[in-house]
Amino acid sequence: MASTISETTTNSTPENNVTITEKIYTRVRLATKADLYHIYQLFYQIHAYHNNTHLYKATESSLQNLLFKENPLPLYYGPSVLLLEVSPTPFTESKLTTNEGFKPVLKTFDLKFPVVEGEADEFRSKYDDGNDKRDVFIAGYAFFYANYSCFYDKPGFYFESLYFRESYRKLGMGRLLFGTVASIAANNGFVSVEGIVAVWNKKSYDFYIEMGVEIFDEFRYGKLHGDALQKYADKEKNGEGSC
């Protein structure tokens, strides 16, 4: 579970700003191919927060192959992205019939202070629900996929990351997005939602505790990657076996 907080700065101009006051309307929905550009940008931003942009190798093409295969796995078993959209005006039900298998979640938040969308053109949603609604902006995402363990007889979710753009933090939207993933898991026979919780990020750590996540201090996160992993491939190529 990656950080819910990011300090990535953005460039904005007054002409590109939309100010939302009093109420902000939100919609959580499954991402589609039309969202690839925004997913790519959001994934880059979370890398920037962790000072790891030099490790960001994804392209829109590679993300399409990862998220929107021609012959996809059953819903939620492959890599899945939920997007949280915001608007200064209410959402209405889609006029188009889709086979996404997930009904968008709508919620209204009362604002204690104005929210400024500083990149309106950059993050204007490209999703077409048949309502010709243009004042919709991508605020954040949740990325998750099915995982398996010999300790359980059913799969769970691996919750890879949760991210919000700067304007939309501290509004309660993280609870909505994470709660939606948990609801999907509970309602579809998955046994858990698990992931990495950064102990150095107190706000993120406290958030997941508040959401009911149990922390297991007796385990450490391990990762075989880079040159250490590649050595095993080299051994196979040289006929040495993997041991």
Side-chain angles (χ1 to χ4, degrees), residues 6-218:
S6 169
E7 297 175 358
T8 304
T9 58
T10 58
N11 295 320
S12 63
T13 61
E15 296 79 10
N16 195 30
N17 290 353
V18 173
T19 301
I20 305 174
T21 60
E22 297 185 2
K23 293 182 182 295
I24 188 168
Y25 301 89
T26 67
R27 175 172 65 187
V28 178
R29 62 170 177 82
L30 277 174
T32 70
K33 286 183 181 180
D35 300 305
L36 275 169
Y37 172 77
H38 290 134
I39 294 171
Y40 174 83
Q41 293 296 329
L42 292 170
F43 281 11
Y44 179 86
Q45 287 191 12
I46 199 170
H47 276 72
Y49 168 67
H50 290 288
N51 296 315
N52 282 332
T53 54
H54 61 289
L55 299 176
Y56 191 50
K57 307 300 183 184
T59 64
E60 289 184 48
S61 177
S62 67
L63 289 176
Q64 177 171 331
N65 186 57
L66 174 70
L67 300 171
F68 307 110
K69 295 179 181 294
E70 291 186 7
N71 298 302
L73 293 170
L75 187 62
Y76 308 130
Y77 281 80
S80 303
V81 173
L82 287 181
L83 293 176
L84 190 146
E85 298 173 313
V86 299
S87 176
T89 59
F91 287 94
T92 56
E93 289 194 13
S94 174
K95 293 183 178 180
L96 302 179
T97 301
T98 67
N99 295 315
E100 293 177 348
F102 172 79
K103 184 178 180 179
V105 177
L106 307 182
K107 184 172 182 178
T108 303
F109 290 86
D110 292 321
L111 296 176
K112 296 180 180 179
F113 49 84
V115 170
V116 177
E117 168 53 74
E119 297 177 287
D121 292 338
E122 181 78 0
F123 282 95
R124 192 182 306 276
S125 178
K126 298 180 180 180
Y127 181 69
D128 181 11
D129 65 357
N131 288 307
D132 195 29
K133 182 173 168 58
R134 296 290 299 154
D135 58 347
V136 180
F137 310 100
I138 305 294
Y141 77 87
F143 179 33
F144 61 98
Y145 47 86
N147 69 348
Y148 302 86
S149 170
C150 64
F151 292 99
Y152 302 105
D153 61 343
K154 295 180 180 179
F157 278 165
Y158 183 81
F159 192 82
E160 200 277 339
S161 54
L162 175 69
Y163 176 82
F164 280 91
R165 295 171 49 229
E166 188 172 3
S167 297
Y168 303 106
R169 299 169 198 151
K170 301 180 181 179
L171 298 175
M173 295 180 185
R175 288 188 289 274
L176 172 60
L177 197 47
F178 182 83
T180 301
V181 175
S183 178
I184 291 172
N187 289 323
N188 289 275
F190 293 89
V191 297
S192 63
V193 178
E194 61 184 83
I196 298 171
V197 178
V199 296
W200 53 266
N201 190 328
K202 188 176 186 306
K203 290 182 180 179
S204 176
Y205 188 92
D206 291 346
F207 167 81
Y208 288 115
I209 296 296
E210 179 186 336
M211 296 301 296
V213 173
E214 183 179 0
I215 306 298
F216 296 92
D217 292 329
E218 63 269 31

